[in-house]
Amino acid sequence: MASKIGVYICVGYGIGEAVNIEELSKVATSEYKVDVCKTVPSCEAEDIEFIKKDIAEQELEKVVIAGPSPRFYQPKTFPPNVIVEYVNLREQVAWCQPSHEEDTQMMANDYLRMGIVKIQKTQPLDPFPESKDINKTVLVVGGGIAGLTAALETAAAGYDSVIVEKAPQLGGWMAKLKKSIPRSAPYEALEDPGIEEKIKQVRQNPKIKVHTSTEIAKIKGAPGMFDVELKGNGAAFRVGAIVQATGWKPYQPKNLNHLGLGNLADVITGVEMEEMAKAGSIKRKSDGKEAKSVVFVQCAGSRDKNHLSYCSSICCLNSLKQAAYVREQDGDAKAYIIYENLRAPGHYEYFYKKMQQDPGVFMTKGEVTGVKQNGGSLAVDVKDTLLGEDISIEADLVVLATGMVPQSADGERIRAIIDARKFLASGEGGPQVDIMKKRIEEFGHHEGTEILNLDYRQGPDMPTLQYGYPDSHFICFPYETRRTGIYAAGAVRAPMDGLGSIEDATGAAFKAIQCLEMLSRGEAVLPRTSDLSYPEFFLQRCTQCKRCTEECPFGTLNEDEKGTPQPNPTRCRRCGICLGACPERIINFKNYSVDMIASMIKAVEVPDEFEEKPRVLILACENDAYPAFDTAGFKRLQYSPFVRIIPVRCLGSVNVIWINEALAKGFDGVMLFGCKYGDDYQCHFIKGSELMNTRGDNVREKLKQMALENERVQLFQVQITDYEKILSLVGEFMETIEQIGMNPFKGM
Amino acid sequence: MTTELTTDAATTATKTVKVNPDLDFIREVMAAGGDTLKKCFQCATCSVVCSLTPDERPFPRKEMIWASWGLKDKLISDPDVWLCHQCNDCSVYCPRGAKPGDTLAAVRNYMFKTFTFPSFIGTWLSSPKYLPLVFAVPIILLLIACNMGMIPEAAGHGKLLASQVHFEEFLPHKNLYFVFITATHLAGLFLVIGLVKFWKVLGTSTQTGAGSNPGGPTQGNIGASVVATIKEIITHAQFKKCQESNHRYLGHLGIMYGFLLLAIGTAIEIFMLYALGTKLPLPQLSLPKILGHLGFVALVAGLIIVIARRLSGKENVSKSSYQDWYLLLVLLAVAITGQLVEFVRYSGYAGMAYSVYFVHLVFVFALIGYFPYSKFAHMFYRFVAILHSKYTGRDASVAQAAA
Ligand SMILES: Cc1cc2nc3c(=O)[nH]c(=O)nc-3n(C[C@H](O)[C@H](O)[C@H](O)COP(=O)(O)OP(=O)(O)OC[C@H]3O[C@@H](n4cnc5c(N)ncnc54)[C@H](O)[C@@H]3O)c2cc1C
Ligand code: HEM
Ligand code: SF4
Ligand code: SF4
Ligand code: SF4
Ligand code: SF4
């Protein structure tokens, strides 16, 4: 039974002047025969009150408000059972098109048609059924300073947590330090690492359960319902969210022979130096004599494309700290620090300044060209120094500041090996065999590194971003990873110090709690925060092509033996990428479906006369590109009246059928606007725009079948600030269309 | 002036040198007024703002890291330490408060303290704790030298005519000469030995010859270098370039010329006394007296300018060292007690006249008896260093300016 639909057209903000409202109303009343169609003078509070009253009086279930952009204006005061849809007549019509033009009117009419069609196809939302069954315990993997903090913060917020620690004792690396760099004002004196206190608090907290000397054997399920099984003690329990705080391990540099690592006894790493200092005095390994001259070599295997290309951010501070150990041990001892850039971020600058003041600490920029044995001691040669010449320093001990690497596992690679092995075991032949063998060789070392042992189709651990860090976009989505409900914190997420790890773990704990609370209300987490919709699969028609299970950037979908997807709404972020992927078009949301967008496209009136009125469909990512169009309107920048913009959840949610529909309908071209992809992606769903790009092959295939030019469908990467660029892209595209001429399918 | 910072590295010889920081040296320089030296983080702002440095291998940035690394040999042989006039333009602009101006002054203080044999005298002059000893020496020597019998007599004298105040009787000139001539000559001898060593050591410096324009008119020509050096000093051509403390050079002009006038006046007086047999005291309008009075005015005026500047200066830019105050106050004391001697002599109170005379002589000893070991020696070190840098082409820009 069709729902009662009301349309309210706002005539304020210049809309009434730009378009003929009467004519526009006819679209609603004559074409679509909606139950109510009224105008309102503007969309201010009193108008909304009027609409609300009208909704109640007319008993409307669905309401279209044609007026300002939903991005600038979205009153949340409508009753929850009423479905509201906004048609953007202000930013994307009145403010970017000339008034009283036929083309402007046609544009407004089309947008209203699309709006009405959309709301007709929208079904009321209900929370997914699993939301009633959300477990609110947080699992913390790793009991270093980050893990301990995450557990304590979780407990302080009133939630239970379980720590699983591989080592027999808690504390991680912080417990292995002799002293910590200063972490409180005036940031000058070395401090006790303070980890014992944290361990005590954890042990005494009734809301925290601790398992040591064990690891995760298996995690089944999904956020809100993870079933955890431990190795060793075999404990099994259920948790809702996970904080992975497995920390770091020292980078083991190879090919640093010129620095003597591995072949000179008195050349050690910062980690070894710390162990030695903690154990007692700082001595030469070769003869056990106290070290009176110690040279620290910074960036040993860091910020170097042949080693770690990043900065570990802590080793400079650590060398300053260890220089203090050397100086404390003997007032006449000398500590040299040879750096490329000495990095003491934030308040640590005070510590650097303090150490600088010590007469026995010597620092210079320079490049260590060699460390050689010279009689009983070492000769350290340094070039390009601030002293104006190349120098050689006599040293008892040389300490290499090597960086840190994450104690993470690369889920995608591990899964690639598993798949390769499966393939080889299947006995299938063909060229694939060699590829698979190569893959095993290349990724083999990832086997056995599993940490979370997730039961996810896309691999047992989190996908990593760069350099093995399981992070997400660090600016847009801090604390997020590419697995819903699992948050990385501390040195496993990015190289960081103890203070940073505390902050990071606090953030991750709150993210975990927030996730559990939202799941229990049936809502999605970032970036479609609070969205109640979720993908539904009409599996009777599934062909087991596995596109959805492969493409979901969040590993939402598992497969049964046949390869049929098994939805997990609590893992899902509602990007709609599965919807875009499915060739059978059987994945849909109640308020976002293949049929809905296709119908919207079909609702557009495409005139037959190309010369005056070409038509271009724009599918714009609602996160960046769509707001950029709004900004263009806001700035009163004009663009072609022949485009029709439809916002999509993510460019990855574009189902190729929509493009086909548009071309069949007579649109002369389709522009796809998404976010930047690649290593430094800006896509809100990580892979969406990239995936759309790879689907381009299908599109080109279709274009070929239809004997259409490739240029008719193009993908562009833009960001929210690109409102000027976006318009010039539209301009250029319109010219291209002009050149290649009319879509021959027009009017057919 | 533009300072090419990159040439610093570009012109560097590639041979590797062994470095071994001298921790005690660092501690000493820090104690001698360079306590901020370690704050330097080598940004080179100081070298850019300094108006006196040559363009090549400019100072004081490199001196800052040498000091921070305790590279004593480098600093001792560094002419630039003496080309610096402590204008403190650098210290005003240093973003770290490392006070390069004070640091170089501290290195100079270190040189006064240690460079001239026997260095224990340098130690006496380096710290206020030895002040009693520093004054005890001339007091004892002069007490021994004076006519002890005169003391009670002089004390017993009432008011006398000026002509009846006989300093010669109180302290026989031959005794006086014995004390002063021995002391200054010995000191002078040691200084000369020290300066010869200094000249040699300057030759080992890495920036010797690294002038803005090597091969300038003075390079390799000792005669021209001496002329250029003297010209620079008498005109204060470099001193004038200081930005921050631009009227300090006026103070120094007054002090230097005042001191010279007094010295010349004294020389003429001695000449008149012995060669011409003129009787003392000289009349007020005699040449020595006129030079003396002019010198006194110039010296005191200069001292007032300089002392006022030191008192009003900002601590975060520069802090005066003990060596600075020693020279200024001893000079002031010499000038004032010298003038007082005149006044008391005319007042006719013999006891007072003899005591003031005695005090004056003690201060004169404090000034010239120890001259190689106090900041007073700066003129010699500076002369040598300026000369050396002109002679070796380090200071070509200055030579050109003077030419
Ligand atoms: C040489 C050096 C010196 C440093 N000095 C300082 C300093 O003075 N001050 C300072 O603030 N920071 C210092 N840091 C940084 C500091 O070590 C890190 O910031 C901090 O350890 C990060 O804490 P974390 O909890 O994230 O990781 P970690 O300390 O590495 O703790 C991770 C924990 O997880 C456990 N774990 C790992 N894998 C598993 C698994 N599969 N299952 C279960 N548990 C697992 C580990 O056993 C460990 O207990 C230094 C770093 C280096 C390299
Ligand atoms: C060769 C000749 C001389 C040169 C090149 C010279 C140079 C300088 C320079 C560059 C300074 C400033 C730096 C510093 O304070 O150390 C200075 C300071 C000083 N000079 Fe000279 N000088 C010379 C002769 C003299 C003479 C003859 C006197 C008189 C006794 C004198 C008295 C002083 C005093 C008192 C100061 C300290 C000023 C202050 O405190 O700011 N100088 N001299
Ligand atoms: S912290 Fe310092 S030593 Fe470590 S990688 Fe960064 S710059 Fe290099
Ligand atoms: S692709 Fe997106 S919408 Fe689909 S299941 Fe994955 S997260 Fe959910
Ligand atoms: S994409 Fe569609 S057809 Fe393919 S496996 Fe997923 S649901 Fe089935
Ligand atoms: S002394 Fe000051 S201005 Fe000069 S290099 Fe050092 S920090 Fe920079």
Side-chain angles (χ1 to χ4, degrees):
Chain A
M1 191 202 81
S3 325
K4 259 186 113 180
I5 296 177
V7 172
Y8 296 85
I9 300 172
C10 158
V11 301
Y13 317 109
I15 299 168
E17 287 84 66
V19 294
N20 182 329
I21 300 297
E22 233 168 89
E23 210 178 305
L24 185 63
S25 306
K26 277 197 200 125
V27 169
T29 49
S30 327
E31 284 183 35
Y32 289 92
K33 313 228 169 353
V34 299
D35 304 275
V36 176
C37 178
K38 292 185 177 167
T39 62
V40 283
S42 69
C43 271
E44 303 306 321
E46 61 268 26
D47 306 302
I48 299 301
E49 277 318 304
F50 165 79
I51 295 173
K52 272 162 67 181
K53 238 175 45 223
D54 219 36
I55 291 172
E57 281 166 17
Q58 314 274 349
E59 294 177 336
L60 298 175
E61 288 150 89
K62 296 180 173 178
V63 173
V64 175
I65 299 179
S69 164
R71 285 202 43 106
F72 282 94
Y73 190 81
Q74 212 181 82
K76 291 211 157 145
T77 56
F78 294 100
N81 57 331
V82 176
I83 298 171
V84 186
E85 182 55 42
Y86 298 86
V87 171
N88 191 343
L89 288 187
R90 191 174 72 169
E91 281 78 0
Q92 292 186 10
V93 179
W95 285 359
C96 63
Q97 300 298 334
S99 293
H100 299 306
E101 293 276 334
E102 191 194 359
D103 288 333
T104 309
Q105 186 71 39
M106 290 175 94
M107 197 181 209
N109 292 356
D110 275 345
Y111 280 137
L112 189 57
R113 286 181 188 113
M114 289 197 276
I116 296 170
V117 167
K118 185 174 183 189
I119 207 160
Q120 283 174 340
K121 302 270 176 187
T122 304
Q123 296 162 33
L125 299 174
D126 290 312
F128 53 86
E130 293 88 337
S131 58
K132 285 181 211 69
D133 210 13
I134 297 298
N135 179 297
K136 291 190 182 170
T137 302
V138 176
L139 168 68
V140 178
V141 186
I145 192 162
L148 297 173
T149 306
L152 286 169
E153 293 293 342
T154 304
Y159 295 79
D160 289 323
S161 63
V162 184
I163 297 179
V164 174
E165 166 60 58
K166 179 168 74 173
Q169 70 290 324
L170 296 172
W173 281 98
M174 292 303 281
K176 297 181 192 159
L177 304 179
K178 173 185 164 88
K179 285 277 171 65
S180 170
I181 46 175
R183 292 176 300 181
S184 52
Y187 297 94
E188 289 184 343
L190 298 188
E191 286 178 14
D192 188 85
I195 195 77
E196 295 307 326
E197 179 54 31
K198 263 206 155 51
I199 296 174
K200 210 171 92 194
Q201 285 171 14
V202 163
R203 292 279 185 198
Q204 288 170 351
N205 196 313
K207 291 187 112 30
I208 305 175
K209 198 164 163 28
V210 180
H211 297 275
T212 52
S213 301
T214 182
E215 287 175 70
I216 307 284
K218 189 115 224 92
I219 299 181
K220 279 200 175 133
M225 49 200 76
F226 283 123
D227 286 316
V228 184
E229 211 180 285
L230 300 186
K231 290 184 188 162
N233 65 9
F237 47 92
R238 178 168 270 215
V239 299
I242 302 172
V243 173
Q244 181 177 342
T246 46
W248 60 279
K249 55 190 178 203
Y251 174 62
Q252 301 294 351
K254 288 180 202 93
N255 308 326
L256 284 184
N257 294 341
H258 70 292
L259 298 181
L261 190 65
N263 46 40
L264 296 177
D266 293 326
V267 177
I268 61 173
T269 65
V271 173
E272 291 168 319
M273 175 72 159
E274 195 69 29
E275 272 167 25
M276 177 158 65
K278 181 151 173 120
S281 63
I282 298 162
K283 293 197 215 88
R284 306 211 297 198
K285 297 247 159 160
S286 54
D287 58 8
K289 275 210 247 141
E290 274 201 357
K292 288 192 181 296
S293 169
V294 180
V295 177
F296 294 89
V297 181
Q298 297 311 112
C299 295
S302 285
R303 302 168 66 214
D304 175 342
K305 60 181 184 327
N306 299 317
H307 291 277
L308 299 180
S309 7
Y310 56 87
C311 166
S312 285
S313 82
I314 183 80
C315 16
C316 280
L317 296 164
N318 183 56
S319 292
L320 286 167
K321 174 181 79 175
Q322 294 179 346
Y325 296 165
V326 172
R327 296 281 303 140
E328 268 163 24
Q329 175 168 310
D330 179 346
D332 285 323
K334 293 166 192 171
Y336 304 81
I337 301 179
I338 315 294
Y339 57 83
E340 163 63 27
N341 308 94
L342 200 103
R343 295 191 166 173
H347 285 117
Y348 292 130
E349 180 78 2
Y350 294 113
F351 179 48
Y352 161 70
K353 282 183 167 178
K354 169 78 184 170
M355 287 312 296
Q356 234 194 338
Q357 276 296 88
D358 186 326
V361 175
F362 310 101
M363 304 193 224
T364 182
K365 188 182 174 79
E367 188 188 327
V368 176
T369 53
V371 179
K372 282 176 262 121
Q373 192 73 40
N374 184 13
S377 54
L378 300 170
V380 183
D381 289 335
V382 193
K383 72 167 190 191
D384 298 341
T385 70
L386 293 170
L387 287 96
E389 48 203 349
D390 297 350
I391 59 170
S392 175
I393 306 167
E394 194 182 309
D396 290 329
L397 202 60
V398 170
V399 181
L400 305 186
T402 48
M404 50 215 286
V405 287
Q407 185 86 259
S408 64
D410 188 331
E412 285 172 327
R413 295 263 155 85
I414 296 173
R415 178 248 162 140
I417 317 171
I418 297 173
D419 284 359
R421 288 204 193 288
K422 249 193 218 152
F423 179 85
L424 292 179
S426 74
E428 233 176 286
Q432 287 281 47
V433 173
D434 281 341
I435 299 176
M436 292 302 163
K437 279 186 174 158
K438 247 216 193 105
R439 189 170 293 167
I440 292 175
E441 209 173 293
E442 194 185 337
F443 300 150
H445 63 279
H446 288 284
E447 260 176 324
T449 60
E450 296 82 350
I451 292 174
L452 297 180
N453 280 307
L454 296 167
D455 172 33
Y456 277 45
R457 163 73 187 100
Q458 291 185 4
D461 274 283
M462 285 198 274
T464 60
L465 184 63
Q466 257 185 321
Y467 316 124
Y469 287 98
D471 198 6
S472 183
H473 194 286
F474 77 106
I475 292 176
C476 303
F477 316 121
Y479 309 112
E480 292 292 342
T481 67
R482 286 168 48 186
R483 291 290 175 261
T484 306
I486 310 179
Y487 302 89
V492 72
R493 190 184 67 77
M496 63 179 82
D497 62 324
L499 267 187
S501 303
I502 290 174
E503 189 185 307
D504 214 42
T506 309
F510 286 134
K511 273 278 169 185
I513 291 168
Q514 183 193 42
C515 171
L516 295 175
E517 287 303 327
M518 296 185 83
L519 292 182
S520 66
R521 296 197 295 264
E523 295 171 347
V525 299
L526 194 104
R528 292 188 60 83
T529 317
S530 304
D531 187 358
L532 278 175
S533 75
Y534 57 93
E536 288 166 275
F537 297 70
F538 187 69
L539 290 175
Q540 286 92 320
R541 273 195 8 235
C542 172
T543 59
Q544 285 89 24
C545 73
K546 301 184 184 175
R547 289 208 192 134
C548 54
T549 57
E550 288 289 346
E551 290 194 3
C552 172
F554 306 101
T556 300
L557 308 165
N558 277 11
E559 284 164 16
D560 66 10
E561 312 79 64
K562 283 192 293 177
T564 316
Q566 297 174 312
N568 285 295
T570 62
R571 295 184 191 170
C572 171
R573 303 267 180 107
R574 284 61 166 172
C575 57
I577 286 175
C578 49
L579 176 156
C582 181
E584 299 301 314
R585 305 188 287 282
I586 56 175
I587 309 175
N588 291 291
F589 296 73
K590 289 214 160 70
N591 57 1
Y592 188 75
S593 64
V594 179
D595 173 45
M596 170 195 279
I597 306 286
S599 306
M600 286 166 75
I601 293 168
K602 282 188 257 183
V604 172
E605 278 202 347
V606 180
D608 293 345
E609 69 273 35
F610 171 75
E611 293 313 326
E612 287 114 68
K613 301 188 187 323
R615 283 291 179 266
V616 165
L617 175 67
I618 293 181
L619 295 171
C621 154
E622 68 180 11
N623 303 297
D624 274 45
Y626 188 82
F629 275 108
D630 274 355
T631 309
F634 195 75
K635 299 207 174 256
R636 306 299 197 277
L637 302 176
Q638 301 223 337
Y639 51 88
S640 170
F642 304 129
V643 299
R644 297 294 179 264
I645 304 170
I646 298 181
V648 292
R649 289 189 171 193
C650 170
L651 202 55
S653 73
V654 169
N655 194 297
V656 174
I657 189 78
W658 298 341
I659 299 170
N660 301 346
E661 290 284 1
L663 294 171
K665 166 94 188 167
F667 275 95
D668 300 289
V670 180
M671 296 182 83
L672 304 164
F673 281 102
C675 301
K676 192 163 138 198
Y677 55 79
D679 266 355
D680 47 353
Y681 67 86
Q682 291 180 357
C683 173
H684 289 52
F685 301 99
I686 296 135
K687 293 232 176 258
S689 50
E690 191 171 354
L691 285 166
M692 187 59 226
N693 190 46
T694 54
R695 285 179 209 151
D697 289 341
N698 301 348
V699 176
R700 275 183 286 278
E701 190 65 26
K702 187 76 198 170
L703 285 166
K704 213 162 127 193
Q705 276 173 22
M706 296 170 80
L708 287 174
E709 298 77 3
N710 272 345
E711 291 93 322
R712 288 198 193 271
V713 183
Q714 286 182 40
L715 186 151
F716 306 90
Q717 299 175 59
V718 294
Q719 52 191 31
I720 195 160
T721 47
D722 281 341
Y723 57 90
E724 273 169 339
K725 179 175 163 193
I726 243 174
L727 297 196
S728 60
L729 288 173
V730 168
E732 282 162 29
F733 191 83
M734 295 311 296
E735 273 170 34
T736 311
I737 293 299
E738 198 85 25
Q739 275 164 22
I740 51 180
M742 185 169 90
N743 173 358
F745 293 91
K746 217 180 265 289
M748 281 169 81
Chain B
M1 191 193 92
T2 56
T3 299
E4 282 280 352
L5 298 170
T6 46
T7 56
D8 221 15
T11 54
T12 298
T14 44
K15 104 177 169 13
T16 302
V17 289
K18 255 186 125 159
V19 296
N20 191 12
D22 183 336
L23 262 178
D24 288 330
F25 173 72
I26 301 172
R27 293 188 184 115
E28 289 232 28
V29 175
M30 286 176 93
D35 56 328
T36 48
L37 72 91
K38 278 266 174 181
K39 292 188 175 176
C40 168
F41 70 166
Q42 291 288 296
C43 66
T45 305
C46 48
S47 288
V48 174
V49 299
C50 175
S51 318
L52 303 187
T53 177
D55 292 356
E56 294 280 316
R57 306 204 191 171
F59 63 80
R61 191 226 94 219
K62 64 182 185 316
E63 283 69 18
M64 292 305 286
I65 191 158
W66 290 345
S68 156
W69 274 60
L71 304 185
K72 180 172 136 185
D73 295 344
K74 285 211 172 278
L75 285 166
I76 283 185
S77 64
D78 181 10
D80 295 2
V81 166
W82 302 94
L83 300 184
C84 155
H85 283 44
Q86 212 190 353
C87 322
N88 284 333
D89 294 354
C90 52
S91 300
V92 169
Y93 286 98
C94 171
R96 285 288 165 138
K99 300 188 197 164
D102 282 9
T103 302
L104 292 198
V107 173
R108 293 191 291 269
N109 288 342
Y110 175 82
M111 294 278 276
F112 300 139
K113 177 178 170 188
T114 59
F115 204 71
T116 308
F117 175 85
S119 59
F120 68 86
I121 307 184
T123 307
W124 292 359
L125 284 146
S126 68
S127 153
K129 69 176 180 227
Y130 300 108
L131 209 49
L133 186 63
V134 165
F135 280 95
V137 172
I139 290 170
I140 292 166
L141 287 177
L142 289 170
L143 279 178
I144 297 168
C146 70
N147 184 348
M148 291 294 188
M150 266 297 285
I151 293 175
E153 194 191 330
H157 277 310
K159 204 171 159 148
L160 293 174
L161 282 178
S163 59
Q164 288 169 307
V165 177
H166 288 299
F167 289 131
E168 158 77 32
E169 270 173 37
F170 169 64
L171 208 169
H173 280 161
K174 63 174 193 328
N175 294 4
L176 189 63
Y177 297 148
F178 184 77
V179 170
F180 275 90
I181 290 177
T182 321
T184 54
H185 280 64
L186 264 179
L189 179 70
F190 293 137
L191 177 70
V192 169
I193 295 171
L195 291 178
V196 170
K197 184 167 86 173
F198 183 49
W199 177 274
K200 281 198 191 132
V201 109
L202 285 176
T204 66
S205 164
T206 28
Q207 68 266 30
T208 294
S212 342
N213 185 8
T218 58
Q219 192 174 358
N221 182 339
I222 193 74
S225 299
V226 171
V227 172
T229 304
I230 292 175
K231 226 172 176 177
E232 179 185 311
I233 292 170
I234 60 179
T235 57
H236 277 42
Q238 284 289 82
F239 223 142
K240 261 184 233 169
K241 292 190 196 158
C242 287
Q243 310 275 315
E244 239 352 273
S245 47
N246 47 8
H247 47 256
R248 192 166 67 123
Y249 89 91
L250 279 177
H252 191 269
L253 271 180
I255 297 170
M256 190 176 97
Y257 284 110
F259 184 80
L260 284 178
L261 287 177
L262 283 166
I264 294 167
T266 313
I268 295 175
E269 188 170 334
I270 292 172
F271 178 76
M272 286 166 80
L273 188 62
Y274 293 100
L276 308 180
T278 318
K279 277 260 173 288
L280 293 182
L282 295 178
Q284 286 304 327
L285 282 177
S286 62
L287 187 59
K289 286 273 170 201
I290 292 171
L291 293 179
H293 290 314
L294 279 176
F296 171 79
V297 172
L299 179 62
V300 171
L303 284 169
I304 288 173
I305 294 178
V306 161
I307 291 175
R309 202 196 116 262
R310 285 202 178 269
L311 289 176
S312 64
K314 290 194 202 82
E315 281 252 319
N316 61 352
V317 174
S318 177
K319 219 167 93 194
S320 302
S321 67
Y322 169 69
Q323 295 271 43
D324 293 325
W325 287 123
Y326 181 85
L327 178 61
L328 289 175
L329 296 179
V330 167
L331 263 177
L332 191 64
V334 168
I336 288 171
T337 54
Q339 203 60 24
L340 273 182
V341 169
E342 282 279 301
F343 285 139
V344 243
R345 166 192 291 229
Y346 288 105
S347 75
Y349 290 105
M352 201 146 72
Y354 293 133
S355 341
V356 172
Y357 182 56
F358 189 87
V359 171
H360 175 62
L361 290 176
V362 169
F363 278 113
V364 171
F365 192 96
L367 184 66
I368 62 172
Y370 301 115
F371 76 95
Y373 310 96
S374 75
K375 187 182 173 183
F376 195 68
H378 75 285
M379 61 188 81
F380 303 102
Y381 283 100
R382 284 187 187 278
F383 187 91
V384 170
I386 296 170
L387 178 66
H388 188 274
S389 56
K390 293 201 188 305
Y391 181 60
T392 57
R394 167 72 180 145
D395 204 12
S397 64
V398 181
Q400 281 160 349

